[in-house]
Amino acid sequence: MGDVLLALSIPVLVFGGGIYAACDCWWRRRHPAPPSPYTHRAARLAEQDMLLLAEEIVDDAYAALGPLYDAPAAPDPAEPPTAPAAISSRSPRSSRPASTPGRGPSRPAGVRKR
C-alpha cells in the first residue's frame, strides 16, 4: 500500500503544481505590480546626465569653431572694391539666364535639330 501511495503522490504533486502556476499567472495578469519609483528616478537622472554631457560637447565645439561662423567685418566704404561688383548671369550668346531663379524645377531644354 505504501508503494501505491508513493506512486500516486507524484502525479498529484505535478497536477497541483500546474494548478498553482496557472492561478499565479492569472493573478499576476489581473494585478500587475506598480512600476518601481527607483527605475523612473534612475532614468531621469541618466537623462539629465546625458543632457549635461551634450551641452558640454556643444559648448566646447562652439568655443573651438565659433570664430569660423562669426560674420565678416563690413568693408570700409572709403576703400574702393578690389573685385568686380557684379558678374552678369547672362551669356553673350544666349538671352536666357544661366540659372533658373527660385527653388522650382527648371524648364526642360529645347530639342536640337541636326
Side-chain angles (χ1 to χ4, degrees):
M1 182 77 170
D3 292 335
V4 174
L5 288 176
L6 182 63
L8 291 178
S9 67
I10 294 173
V12 168
L13 286 174
V14 170
F15 183 73
I19 294 289
Y20 174 79
C23 291
D24 186 48
C25 182
W26 175 84
W27 179 262
R28 288 182 188 264
R29 269 195 237 140
R30 298 288 187 258
H31 304 91
S36 174
Y38 298 109
T39 57
H40 292 293
R41 183 170 184 237
R44 282 194 307 269
L45 290 174
E47 182 182 358
Q48 288 174 354
D49 289 343
M50 182 181 59
L51 288 175
L52 289 174
L53 180 63
E55 192 174 305
E56 288 176 11
I57 291 171
V58 170
D59 289 343
D60 291 344
Y62 184 76
L65 302 174
L68 296 176
Y69 294 105
D70 289 340
D76 189 16
E79 295 179 18
T82 57
I87 299 174
S88 175
S89 65
R90 295 180 182 259
S91 169
R93 290 185 242 160
S94 173
S95 62
R96 287 187 7 199
S99 63
T100 31
R103 294 182 180 236
S106 60
R107 295 184 305 172
V111 177
R112 291 186 180 180
K113 294 181 182 177
R114 291 186 183 198

